[in-house]
Amino acid sequence: MRPPNTIALKQTLLQGFQTAPAQGPRAHVRVGLLNVLAQYDQLPFWHVLFGELGFSVVVSHGLCNAGLESIPSESVCFPAKQAHLRLYDLLERGATHVFFPVHDRLSRCAVNCCYASVLETVPPVREGQVQLVAPLLLARKAAKFQQLPYDQEIVLASLRQLVPEAPPTQAEFQQAFQAAWAVQVEFEQLLEHENDRACAWARQPGNRALVLAGRPYHADPFLLKGLDAEVTALGLGVLCGTHLSGPKPPDDGVPPWRPAKHLLKLAGCVAAEPHLDLVCLQAFGCGYDHLNMPEVRAALTAVGKPFTLLQLDDISNNAQARIRLRTLVYVAKQAESVRIAGPNEGASSSTSAPFAAPRLSQMAEGLPPEVLQMARELDPRAFTGLQRADVDAVFGGYPDLCFVAQALAGRAARLCAKSQVEGAPLQRVAVPYVCKYCMLDALPRIVMRTLGWAPEVDWVDYPPAAPAAAPAPAARAPS
């Protein structure tokens, strides 16, 4: 029996949603669905919604290299580059409009939520060859639209602008919305059921399975490049991490770094199941996932589970990933044989320990000596501008993080280290909120990893508001 593969099922289900011409007064509007980034696994919902409303739907599951020249930066992650290539493929397939909503960012990845603002500068969009439809929505997942009338109204208003001569009515939209929502829910339930089946298969004697944990779009064949098939070829099952959940990690008292929550839940799920192991997927250069990994590593190693990270990019050679997977399989099987045989005399079994997300103070024992020495020699006048020393102060370094976030986190760490050396640890730190697309909201956790403790953070508007003009002096009454 071939090992179960939930990601292969996900790819097959999504491949079933293809270009669908329509008939009627709205059929001339050919809406291309850009199924990348946050929209990758929301394709069933949007495909049914536009189809039910009488729009022609254009779908691309490929890439067009003509979009390479429109990529504004070589340093952007490959999933973002993929958005350009797939946009051009939609154009070749005859799309007159491209639907790619913007999502309320909060503390999420700006590329994942707001990349439509970059696609607006692509020549075909800028020159009017195709119209980009990018409504701002609060929800990232279609399942939550049911609870957000605001998002429904925004989507309906954007659709009415596409066909002012035949705008969808409220009744038509609600009927299409319910049909689309039902299809999306069915899609999610099928994947959850397949995960359950794969987990039950892995519990049988001699079987194991890997949870491929990443973002929804990491399942795209152009990103994953057959890694799931490599796993099943090794005799292991594959579970899809985006449709699996686990125990809620305990609160460690530090302001949460939101993107890590789901990964920590998956780590908890894997920790509780001896037959499961976790493989984290990260797009090369992704600062958000780069920040997550130390916490996931600590959560797994605390219960004796191996930590494996695979970076995905535009390189098609899987040789290195294949070696890493084989090593993981060997280590996991060795650990399983030890668990079955029982621990040696005098040894303790780490795999039987209950899962608990580690407090970050356990991940950095006290102040690093180099930080202490730097704090003793620090001249207060050095805090007049961001310096390389600020970046170097961050324990372990975060090369995939932007310079501003690293420098501000390092500055906060230097201030805190200096205050502790002086015997009066800072309780609060004011930090300028210099960029809404940055990862500054992870600053408290970075400081915690560096020093073992972190103060509360007060975010200050930047640039600071101009002082109110002094009131004009009252005119003196004529004498």
Side-chain angles (χ1 to χ4, degrees):
M1 177 182 177
R2 178 177 297 179
N5 186 343
T6 304
I7 286 185
L9 174 63
K10 180 177 184 177
Q11 293 173 345
T12 300
L13 293 175
L14 292 175
Q15 287 281 347
F17 294 90
Q18 298 286 343
T19 297
Q23 295 181 349
R26 304 176 190 133
H28 65 285
V29 178
R30 295 176 56 81
V31 180
L33 300 179
L34 194 56
N35 53 332
V36 295
L37 296 172
Q39 295 306 307
Y40 176 71
D41 61 351
Q42 305 303 302
L43 177 62
F45 178 85
W46 297 115
H47 191 283
V48 174
L49 180 70
F50 281 99
E52 289 288 320
L53 290 173
F55 294 95
S56 295
V57 179
V58 183
V59 178
S60 167
H61 294 286
L63 303 175
C64 177
N65 288 334
L68 287 171
E69 296 183 358
S70 69
I71 299 173
S73 171
E74 283 297 323
S75 63
V76 73
C77 64
F78 184 62
K81 295 176 181 177
Q82 188 181 23
H84 293 260
L85 305 184
R86 193 152 288 172
L87 171 64
Y88 273 76
D89 198 51
L90 288 173
L91 296 181
E92 288 199 348
R93 295 172 184 270
T96 59
H97 298 72
V98 173
F99 183 79
F100 191 58
V102 177
H103 298 281
D104 191 20
R105 180 180 169 256
L106 298 176
S107 63
R108 304 183 187 99
C109 173
V111 172
N112 196 29
C113 295
C114 310
Y115 203 70
S117 60
V118 177
L119 296 180
E120 289 175 349
T121 66
V122 171
V125 178
R126 189 178 64 243
E127 297 168 4
Q129 180 181 345
V130 65
Q131 180 181 342
L132 182 66
V133 183
L136 173 60
L137 305 179
L138 298 177
R140 290 181 303 120
K141 297 183 178 180
K144 293 186 178 181
F145 286 171
Q146 192 87 339
Q147 308 163 12
L148 296 172
Y150 169 83
D151 277 2
Q152 298 177 35
E153 292 297 327
I154 292 296
V155 172
L156 177 57
S158 64
L159 298 185
R160 286 173 171 171
Q161 292 177 2
L162 300 183
V163 280
E165 71 281 4
T169 65
Q170 183 72 35
E172 286 179 312
F173 178 79
Q174 285 300 322
Q175 182 177 356
F177 177 88
Q178 294 300 329
W181 184 76
V183 169
Q184 184 70 32
V185 170
E186 182 182 9
F187 168 76
E188 305 281 352
Q189 290 176 345
L190 282 172
L191 296 179
E192 291 173 2
H193 175 74
E194 184 66 10
N195 267 347
D196 292 340
R197 190 179 75 86
C199 201
W201 175 88
R203 290 192 183 103
Q204 298 177 12
N207 291 347
R208 294 193 70 83
L210 297 184
V211 178
L212 296 187
R215 300 186 182 275
Y217 53 78
H218 286 154
D220 190 308
F222 285 93
L223 279 172
L224 197 58
K225 297 181 177 65
L227 285 179
D228 57 316
E230 299 279 2
V231 174
T232 55
L234 294 172
L236 279 73
V238 176
L239 281 75
C240 183
T242 55
H243 295 83
L244 186 70
S245 189
K248 182 179 179 180
D251 184 9
D252 59 10
V254 183
W257 170 235
R258 294 189 181 186
K261 281 187 175 180
H262 184 68
L263 283 176
L264 285 176
K265 287 182 180 180
L266 292 179
C269 178
V270 168
E273 296 280 1
H275 52 278
L276 293 183
D277 290 288
L278 188 70
V279 174
C280 293
L281 304 177
Q282 175 189 343
F284 186 80
C286 177
Y288 274 77
D289 289 341
H290 182 65
L291 279 169
N292 293 335
M293 296 312 157
E295 296 182 39
V296 180
R297 179 193 295 272
L300 290 175
T301 55
V303 294
K305 290 276 189 174
F307 171 79
T308 302
L309 171 64
L310 298 180
Q311 290 191 327
L312 309 177
D313 54 23
D314 53 351
I315 299 176
S316 58
N317 190 345
N318 282 344
Q320 184 178 8
R322 193 180 302 118
I323 293 173
R324 298 282 304 280
L325 289 172
R326 287 176 176 172
T327 302
L328 170 62
V329 172
Y330 174 79
V331 172
K333 287 184 176 180
Q334 290 295 315
E336 177 68 6
S337 62
V338 171
R339 187 187 68 83
I340 294 176
N344 295 330
E345 184 177 355
S348 60
S349 174
S350 60
T351 57
S352 62
F355 167 74
R359 291 184 59 87
L360 293 180
S361 57
Q362 299 171 3
M363 300 166 62
E365 296 180 2
L367 295 174
E370 60 273 17
V371 176
L372 278 172
Q373 180 64 26
M374 175 192 63
R376 294 189 186 99
E377 300 174 353
L378 194 61
D379 183 352
R381 290 173 295 178
F383 291 118
T384 56
L386 295 180
Q387 305 172 24
R388 181 69 206 183
D390 292 319
V391 177
D392 295 338
V394 178
F395 182 68
Y398 296 89
D400 290 332
L401 210 60
C402 71
F403 177 83
V404 173
Q406 289 188 71
L408 287 175
R411 170 60 56 82
R414 294 175 75 192
L415 285 170
C416 292
K418 181 175 183 293
S419 70
Q420 187 165 21
V421 170
E422 294 174 346
L426 291 174
Q427 301 299 314
R428 309 183 73 87
V429 173
V431 179
Y433 199 63
V434 295
C435 178
K436 66 179 180 179
Y437 297 116
C438 198
M439 288 173 277
L440 293 182
D441 38 8
L443 183 146
R445 298 194 84 81
I446 297 175
V447 173
M448 175 65 113
R449 292 174 186 173
T450 303
L451 304 178
W453 64 280
E456 294 188 30
V457 174
D458 294 324
W459 300 105
V460 181
D461 289 337
Y462 187 89
R476 300 182 65 179
S479 56

